[in-house]
Amino acid sequence: MHIWYDFCIFAVDFRKDSNMRKKDSQNSMFEMCPVRNVIARFGNKWGFLVLLVIHEHGTIRFNELGRAIPDLSTRMLSATLRTLEADDLVQRKVYPEIPPKVEYSLTPIGEELVPIIEELTAWANKNLPTIIKHRSKFEKQNA
């Protein structure tokens, strides 16, 4: 079996349904591809970082999380947390207090993801100088 096959297994042969429009087919393939579907949810600009900061703190409040990532707007932090919570990577606990106290922590599958993110981070740190050098060379040659 090829790794690209594992990367995205399609459970339905869309050629069989000639009535399916191309746009519907593309959306359905995306939904059925586990890797693209999952990475699209947490692999945005902030998802990895939010997961790592929550992991580092264990349990963290919203404002504390915002202070830990100063470049992240409150609106984007809220949206990122909602996405991570919807996918069961982050747990949100609300305490019945005034003002409301809300804490975030990783779920077991969120914790399971952390070593993978750390490995990817190590790879990026190791290879970033080469990537930047090549990117610059490529842009000069293709300008």
Side-chain angles (χ1 to χ4, degrees):
M1 198 65 55
H2 298 284
I3 195 165
W4 58 264
Y5 185 77
D6 291 338
F7 184 80
C8 192
I9 300 171
F10 298 109
V12 176
D13 184 351
F14 292 102
R15 290 171 284 153
K16 291 180 182 176
D17 186 358
S18 59
N19 295 327
M20 182 178 278
R21 294 178 311 190
K22 185 175 183 178
K23 183 178 179 184
D24 292 340
S25 172
Q26 289 172 340
N27 289 340
S28 296
M29 286 189 291
F30 171 78
E31 291 168 5
M32 297 179 70
C33 179
V35 174
R36 288 189 301 168
N37 185 298
V38 172
I39 289 177
R41 298 285 290 183
F42 67 80
N44 63 21
K45 184 175 181 178
W46 300 110
F48 281 173
L49 185 55
V50 168
L51 288 168
L52 289 175
V53 170
I54 294 172
H55 171 73
E56 182 179 291
H57 286 81
T59 299
I60 189 167
R61 293 182 68 175
F62 184 86
N63 288 335
E64 188 181 1
L65 185 54
R67 284 190 298 273
I69 312 172
D71 295 348
L72 180 56
S73 72
T74 301
R75 182 178 178 192
M76 184 54 70
L77 174 57
S78 181
T80 301
L81 286 167
R82 277 194 306 270
T83 299
L84 297 173
E85 184 182 7
D87 289 349
D88 196 34
L89 298 172
V90 168
Q91 175 181 323
R92 179 178 187 259
K93 186 172 182 181
V94 180
Y95 295 89
E97 299 177 5
I98 296 179
K101 179 180 174 184
V102 179
E103 293 181 336
Y104 295 91
S105 59
L106 296 185
T107 63
I109 65 169
E111 287 288 351
E112 187 179 336
L113 183 58
V114 169
I116 297 164
I117 296 171
E118 290 174 335
E119 195 171 320
L120 179 59
T121 302
W123 177 89
N125 286 328
K126 176 184 169 196
N127 291 292
L128 185 61
T130 302
I131 291 168
I132 290 173
K133 182 179 174 182
H134 190 270
R135 187 182 296 160
S136 177
K137 181 180 173 184
F138 181 85
E139 288 171 357
K140 285 177 185 173
Q141 290 175 345
N142 294 289

